[in-house]
Amino acid sequence: MSQKIGVVVFPGSNCEMDAMEAFSDLGASPRLLWHADRDIGGVDAVVIPGGFAHGDYLRPGAIARFSPAMEAIIDFAHNGGPVLGICNGFQVLTEAGLLPGALQKNAGLKFLCKEVELRVETTNSVLTNMAYEGQTLRIPINHFEGNFTCTDETLTKLQSNGQIILTYTENPNGSIANIAAICNAQRNVVGLMPHPERACHALLGSTDGRTLLESFIQGAHANV
Amino acid sequence: MADPLHRSLGLTDEELSKIIEILEREPNHLELAMYSVMWSEHCSYKSSRIHLKRLPTQGENVLVGPGENAGVIDVGDGIAIALRIESHNHPSYIEPYQGAATGVGGIIRDIFTMGARPIAIMDPLRFGPLEDARSRWVAEGVVSGISGYGNSVGVPNIGGEIVFDQTYLGNPLVNVLCVGIMPKERLVLGQASGVGNLAVLLGSTTGRDGIGGVSVLASAGFGNEEEDAEKRPSVQVGDPFEEKRLIEGCLELLNEGLVVGIQDLGGAGLACAASETASRGGVGMDFNVSAVPQRESGMQPFEIMTSESQERMLAIVTPENLEQVFSICSKWEIRSSVVGKVTPSGSLRIVSDFDGEVLGEVPASSLHEDAPLYQRPIREPDDMDDATADEATKLPKPERIEDDLLDLLTSPSWATSQYDSQLFLNTVVGPGSDAAVLRLKHPTSGVDTGRGLALTTDGNHRWCAVNPRIGTVMTVAESVLNLACVGAVPQALVNCLNFGNPENPIVMWQLSEAVDGMAESCNAFELPVIGGNVSLYNESQGTNIDPTPIVGVIGLIKELVAAPPGLSWNDGDRIILLGPEASGLCGSAWAFQKGHRRGSLEMVDFELHQRLCALTRSLVTERLVTGLHDISTGGLGVCAAEMAIDSDIGCTLARIPDHISFFSESSSRVLIAVNAERIPEVEDLADQYDVPYARMGLAHGDMFTVKDLLSIPVSDLQQKWNNRLADALDGGTAQE
């Protein structure tokens, strides 16, 4: 029985079909969840995809966190359910308080679409359990507000708990401590700025994203 | 004394007489305002229509040709592809960010109006020189407008061109192409039918922005700065989030079969959408201005009818389906209001309420079908004979050819890295290659067909300034060759004809010649023209831009099993030139750099070109080449340099005796890199296709060397290539 992965759609989301395609190619059973529905339909894991939920108006993720589906997702996460936020999804998770820190404008004050190299810092998360520590992955980034920031106190906590799960080998956006992805203290909620779903097909240039998405499917399995 | 109203709206005295003839009375202000926008150059093509008829528009694969919101072709497997190109030149000079952003918004609406999901955008851009502060401001604003709107609305931007030249100093070109995909059966046309059906306005509120955009802005040139600044309110303001919801909502309405017809609101706003849908359906419409949701109070009916507020659509719906339409719109948070009723009369009646006062009444079809058609005077420049005889080969040879080469190297990545080029998981080749390549997936099942779509946009003002007819032929030939370089067979062409003031007979001659060149080459390549846009009055302070016809060509790749080779070569590869020897320097980037803008161009040999394209496709499909690049702007020199830059490997070339063969841009040539072991196969194939070839040298080391001509480190080339735009446009502060 393959994992039921719910992909949340807000007005303004635009990577939902890409996430559907990538997870389905990897053998999972993804389905779309509408942001206005309180019921997330008994899924094994939740993905908040990239895009511009509610136009990113006010602040990326600032409005999306009030959607009815988010209440259910917060409960789901608190009960240990695997939740993955990609790009705009990462921004939503920080706004919703499921992940610490915030994402501000890139240091270059420009949108950036390019492939970057990531380093796996820990395999102890739902996103990296099938990778190995120190592994490098080539995955594209595609964002204007991907510059992760947090207080010194939070950073120390992230570091000492091993919550920094992926870092950039060459920092493209000014993120503090080269952070590309973090997880929560329980390690079931993860957010990353790069787009692993865009790196799952040889024709698209890289298949390194599969390691991360397969890990997440594995995490969903463990949750069942 | 103040100008009479019709003139201040941009109508001539003769045009007013014609309106009086149609109405059999004097028009009122509202009616006059509607005629002025619909009969503007931008909407009516009154100066160009007579010439455009010469373009070939037929083809077995053509489902919809010119005249609709977008051209549509059948690509097999039950899939149809919609394609359109537009200009947003004038607004982008006045207000670069919003001008470019709303250009993207407008072209996307044209595509989903046909029932297609927009899957990619390309932007051919032309700006004044980098040394000019205003041109830099325009370029930065345009690129951020495209980035800001395009990324947010969620349509990937997969390429285009960015060119800086003196000719665009007071008048940049911001063209935008969009391609969409749909199941063949979802194709819809923008027409109203069925008396009693309702016109439902979807999307944004209507405000005072963009009133007269097509007539005041797009159909006149630029004068002094003060006057130009006054035109700023004629530029519309875009909201990509509204547009994104419109895309999803409208596609859902079409999927559910809930609309009879649908039309986007672009130039000329409601006046255009209401009259076009009614007239195409052979019906009339009562249009209730009071029912239009307004952004501000006190708007006059003429303002409501001609406003170009963005992100609006007009759907024709049967009364039975209305509730369901409202419900889908409410899911997507799209405002929807019944604003019109289809009538049998043939008239577009503007009413203050459905049973209220009639504010204006005109035959719906008269707004576009009766628009004036001008055969404007045409004159060849007087000095053509002298100009033609003035060969650029007579220019002194460069003192340091390395410097001239460096001056011609510019990577577009400063702009393209600001665009999402990968969304939808289709992009196999993104910006910066000869042509972009997308996977072709079925639009509803998502099943990969194993085939590919290839897209290229091309334009060359230098060739067209020297000879608009041959320059246009060379442009189309280059597009076809670009597609061959990724293994694609061309299917259809759209064009954006950017020219100066049509009241200048020489400009009209350029336009007419360019259309002839396009017709000639499209006929030769059996390439149907499925749509186009004409942008005239590209002039500033009395100076017209160089003629700049831009083409977008779409091709199909039969089997997309791996990414095409691209530009890079491997260490040890042999470098071979396919095609005839170079001839002439006229119209080349090098000659223009030296201020030489005249001379003659050699006509493309269509048969040879076709054979070269077929050979190139074979080499790519059979994977006999490591890398390849067509020879175009900057000639063989820039072509080889770009390959070296991309590979980070140098080369030693021979058989390039002088700057003429180094910088010549003569047509029908491709540079290929071949593993030494594959040379016999490649040369056999070239013989089979009867294409001349020459062994030019070897890829190796870290120097870019041409025997007896120049030698320069590849890293110097890379430095210039990578940094030119970032240094100029970010004040040298760009990262990387």
Side-chain angles (χ1 to χ4, degrees):
Chain A
M1 176 72 192
S2 67
Q3 273 54 58
K4 292 195 293 262
I5 295 183
V7 179
V8 188
V9 184
F10 301 93
S13 295
N14 57 31
C15 300
E16 71 275 16
M17 294 315 290
D18 297 5
M20 294 281 287
E21 181 179 329
F23 278 109
S24 132
D25 285 353
L26 292 173
S29 297
R31 61 202 58 190
L32 295 176
L33 302 175
W34 182 241
H35 80 112
D37 294 337
R38 176 69 180 70
D39 179 9
I40 57 171
V43 293
D44 302 321
V46 170
V47 175
I48 306 179
F52 291 73
H54 297 282
D56 272 1
Y57 289 150
L58 191 57
R59 240 184 3 258
I63 303 174
R65 78 183 178 95
F66 293 110
S67 284
M70 283 309 293
E71 292 173 33
I73 291 165
I74 290 169
D75 289 347
F76 179 76
H78 287 155
N79 290 323
V83 176
L84 164 63
I86 303 171
C87 197
N88 193 224
F90 187 6
Q91 295 163 341
V92 173
L93 291 178
T94 59
E95 288 286 341
L98 285 176
L99 288 173
L103 293 137
Q104 56 180 347
K105 284 195 170 67
N106 295 343
L109 296 180
K110 278 196 172 44
F111 190 96
L112 269 183
C113 176
K114 61 186 274 192
E115 193 178 82
V116 296
E117 192 180 73
L118 302 173
R119 184 179 188 280
V120 177
E121 298 296 334
T122 168
T123 59
N124 185 12
S125 82
V126 288
L127 191 64
T128 48
N129 59 60
M130 290 177 75
Y132 57 87
E133 206 178 299
Q135 186 176 359
T136 55
L137 304 169
R138 298 207 61 86
I139 293 179
I141 56 166
N142 193 75
H143 58 244
F144 202 140
E145 277 136 330
N147 178 352
F148 183 83
T149 186
C150 60
T151 61
D152 291 347
E153 195 188 341
T154 303
L155 181 63
T156 313
K157 215 187 255 175
L158 289 174
Q159 284 166 331
S160 58
N161 289 345
Q163 286 174 250
I164 299 170
I165 57 178
L166 297 170
T167 54
Y168 301 108
T169 58
E170 279 179 74
N171 193 334
N173 55 21
S175 282
I176 193 164
N178 302 320
I179 288 173
I182 57 169
C183 64
N184 63 349
Q186 294 70 39
R187 322 199 78 83
N188 62 318
V189 178
V190 286
L192 82 167
M193 286 315 296
H195 284 267
E197 80 282 11
R198 295 184 178 194
C200 290
H201 198 297
L203 267 179
L204 304 179
S206 169
T207 54
D208 290 357
R210 286 183 192 167
T211 308
L212 300 178
L213 299 189
E214 277 167 352
S215 297
F216 189 68
I217 294 172
Q218 183 62 35
H221 186 69
N223 184 47
V224 172
Chain B
M1 203 183 101
D3 255 359
L5 181 62
H6 69 276
R7 279 195 220 152
S8 65
L9 291 172
L11 288 164
T12 65
D13 295 352
E14 294 73 38
E15 288 166 348
L16 175 65
S17 310
K18 192 166 174 190
I19 294 168
I20 294 173
E21 205 180 294
I22 291 170
L23 298 180
E24 298 173 345
R25 62 176 165 80
E26 292 272 339
N28 64 29
H29 185 174
L30 166 64
E31 293 161 343
L32 205 54
M34 293 199 296
Y35 278 104
S36 79
V37 287
M38 289 302 292
W39 287 12
S40 67
E41 186 66 62
H42 183 88
C43 287
S44 73
Y45 297 81
K46 58 192 170 190
S47 304
S48 58
R49 236 156 65 216
I50 220 159
H51 298 287
L52 300 176
K53 287 179 188 157
R54 301 199 294 272
L55 296 172
T57 57
Q58 307 287 318
E60 272 177 23
N61 58 348
V62 178
L63 297 175
V64 178
E68 278 283 346
N69 292 295
V72 181
I73 57 168
D74 184 344
V75 296
D77 291 329
I79 305 171
I81 296 287
L83 190 65
R84 169 145 178 109
I85 192 167
E86 264 269 2
S87 61
H88 240 218
N89 304 340
H90 291 86
S92 302
Y93 181 64
I94 300 294
E95 215 303 288
Y97 185 98
Q98 291 298 344
T102 55
V104 173
I107 195 88
I108 289 175
R109 284 194 299 284
D110 282 325
I111 295 299
F112 72 78
T113 295
M114 305 300 293
R117 175 175 287 281
I119 54 164
I121 290 169
M122 294 177 98
D123 274 287
L125 305 175
R126 303 290 188 276
F127 303 111
L130 281 171
E131 295 71 35
D132 173 59
R134 167 134 189 166
S135 296
R136 292 199 299 271
W137 174 75
V138 172
E140 288 182 11
V142 163
V143 170
S144 31
I146 293 167
S147 160
Y149 196 102
N151 297 337
S152 175
V153 78
V155 181
N157 189 316
I158 57 169
E161 309 152 86
I162 186 164
V163 172
F164 297 84
D165 193 279
Q166 187 67 28
T167 192
Y168 306 112
L169 182 64
N171 195 120
L173 301 184
V174 177
N175 290 183
V176 54
L177 170 145
C178 186
V179 57
I181 187 165
M182 67 185 122
K184 225 170 108 178
E185 65 276 7
R186 198 166 69 198
L187 175 61
V188 279
L189 300 178
Q191 61 180 36
S193 58
V195 170
N197 283 346
L198 304 169
V200 183
L201 181 62
L202 309 176
S204 192
T205 50
T206 298
R208 286 197 170 94
D209 54 330
I211 289 176
V214 290
S215 48
V216 179
L217 261 182
S219 303
F222 290 116
N224 64 48
E225 257 184 51
E226 232 169 87
E227 281 174 24
D228 294 346
E230 282 174 15
K231 292 177 179 170
R232 204 155 288 155
S234 294
V235 180
Q236 318 85 341
V237 178
D239 177 353
F241 178 48
E242 182 84 46
E243 176 110 337
K244 170 66 177 169
R245 286 180 286 123
L246 265 184
I247 297 178
E248 300 303 334
C250 289
L251 289 178
E252 192 167 330
L253 291 176
L254 292 167
N255 259 341
E256 302 291 324
L258 293 173
V259 299
V260 177
I262 194 163
Q263 170 78 39
D264 71 305
L265 274 72
L270 283 164
C272 179
S275 66
E276 278 196 6
T277 45
S279 151
R280 282 192 190 127
V283 291
M285 190 181 288
D286 279 359
F287 194 95
N288 177 3
V289 274
S290 320
V292 174
Q294 291 156 45
R295 201 170 296 166
E296 46 200 312
S297 60
M299 283 184 71
Q300 298 296 309
F302 86 88
E303 293 177 309
I304 296 170
M305 291 310 291
T306 62
S307 157
E308 293 183 10
S309 289
Q310 297 291 291
E311 291 93 22
R312 297 178 300 160
M313 301 286 287
L314 192 68
I316 309 297
V317 177
T318 63
E320 306 80 74
N321 285 336
L322 188 64
E323 276 314 307
Q324 254 183 298
V325 168
F326 282 159
S327 137
I328 288 178
C329 287
S330 123
K331 171 185 165 193
W332 287 104
E333 302 170 23
I334 297 169
R335 196 177 284 102
S336 52
S337 336
V338 174
V339 293
K341 281 184 183 157
V342 177
T343 65
S345 69
S347 284
L348 173 62
R349 291 204 309 173
I350 312 301
V351 294
S352 65
D353 205 334
F354 281 122
D355 11 87
E357 194 192 342
V358 176
L359 305 171
E361 178 167 4
V362 301
S365 60
S366 71
L367 286 172
H368 42 113
E369 282 162 27
D370 294 340
L373 186 61
Y374 294 134
Q375 171 77 59
R376 297 207 185 263
I378 285 182
R379 201 179 75 234
E380 191 179 293
D382 298 333
D383 61 346
M384 269 305 271
D385 289 345
D386 287 352
T388 310
D390 186 4
E391 284 296 328
T393 43
K394 283 187 279 186
L395 290 168
K397 66 173 202 185
E399 287 190 13
R400 263 182 53 84
I401 194 167
E402 289 88 340
D403 294 343
D404 288 4
L405 173 64
L406 288 171
D407 279 348
L408 291 173
L409 298 177
T410 308
S411 159
S413 70
W414 173 85
T416 54
S417 66
Q418 297 185 50
Y419 310 147
D420 180 350
S421 57
Q422 307 160 329
L423 187 68
F424 302 146
L425 309 186
N426 294 328
T427 312
V428 176
V429 179
S433 204
D434 285 326
V437 176
L438 300 177
R439 291 200 289 163
L440 180 60
K441 292 187 299 211
H442 192 279
T444 40
S445 69
V447 171
D448 194 337
T449 60
R451 297 186 291 139
L453 288 177
L455 283 146
T456 176
T457 67
D458 294 285
N460 191 309
H461 70 96
R462 293 176 294 266
W463 300 342
C464 295
V466 170
N467 185 319
R469 185 176 71 87
I470 300 180
T472 305
V473 169
M474 288 170 67
T475 303
V476 175
E478 182 187 347
S479 277
V480 170
L481 186 53
N482 277 333
L483 293 183
C485 286
V486 296
V489 180
Q491 303 294 312
L493 175 145
V494 290
N495 60 51
C496 195
L497 304 175
N498 304 279
F499 288 78
N501 186 334
E503 293 154 41
N504 177 334
I506 293 176
V507 170
M508 279 314 290
W509 170 81
Q510 292 170 338
L511 176 68
S512 172
E513 288 288 292
V515 168
D516 282 342
M518 195 165 296
E520 209 174 341
S521 46
C522 287
N523 280 321
F525 299 132
E526 295 176 15
L527 200 51
V529 177
I530 59 167
N533 172 243
V534 182
S535 171
L536 301 178
Y537 295 96
N538 291 292
E539 61 167 351
S540 180
Q541 302 185 22
T543 306
N544 292 300
I545 60 158
D546 284 345
T548 314
I550 288 180
V551 298
V553 185
I554 186 158
L556 280 173
I557 299 171
K558 221 189 238 167
E559 277 181 77
L560 186 60
V561 286
L567 270 59
S568 284
W569 52 45
N570 290 337
D571 204 331
D573 278 350
R574 302 301 196 273
I575 299 164
I576 296 175
L577 173 67
L578 302 178
E581 278 186 29
S583 69
L585 267 178
C586 293
S588 67
W590 182 83
F592 268 58
Q593 209 176 51
K594 306 289 172 199
H596 188 280
R597 307 169 45 86
R598 319 201 293 176
S600 63
L601 295 174
E602 194 175 329
M603 183 59 181
V604 174
D605 175 342
F606 289 125
E607 285 182 10
L608 171 65
H609 197 78
Q610 290 276 57
R611 294 200 303 274
L612 173 71
C613 290
L615 166 65
T616 305
R617 272 193 297 272
S618 284
L619 292 170
V620 169
T621 313
E622 308 286 323
R623 309 207 74 78
L624 289 171
V625 294
T626 321
L628 78 169
H629 196 10
D630 79 309
I631 294 176
S632 171
T633 299
L636 175 56
V638 166
C639 173
E642 287 177 350
M643 292 177 82
I645 290 167
D646 200 59
S647 339
D648 197 20
I649 295 169
C651 61
T652 303
L653 302 175
R655 299 167 184 259
I656 305 175
D658 53 21
H659 68 285
I660 299 173
S661 26
F662 193 65
F663 288 122
S664 169
E665 297 177 10
S666 62
S667 298
S668 310
R669 296 181 303 147
V670 180
L671 200 61
I672 61 173
V674 182
N675 183 298
E677 286 175 13
R678 311 305 293 267
I679 286 190
E681 286 168 86
V682 169
E683 293 184 346
D684 274 356
L685 208 56
D687 287 333
Q688 275 175 43
Y689 281 96
D690 193 17
V691 171
Y693 56 88
R695 295 187 189 185
M696 304 298 292
L698 179 71
H700 72 109
D702 52 13
M703 293 295 289
F704 180 81
T705 302
V706 179
K707 273 187 187 155
D708 307 319
L709 204 62
L710 69 107
S711 192
I712 180 170
V714 174
S715 56
D716 286 9
L717 302 176
Q718 286 168 326
Q719 169 96 6
K720 258 293 184 249
W721 168 259
N722 288 328
N723 296 344
R724 183 186 306 277
L725 292 190
D727 284 351
L729 293 168
D730 292 328
T733 57
Q735 47 167 350
E736 296 183 299

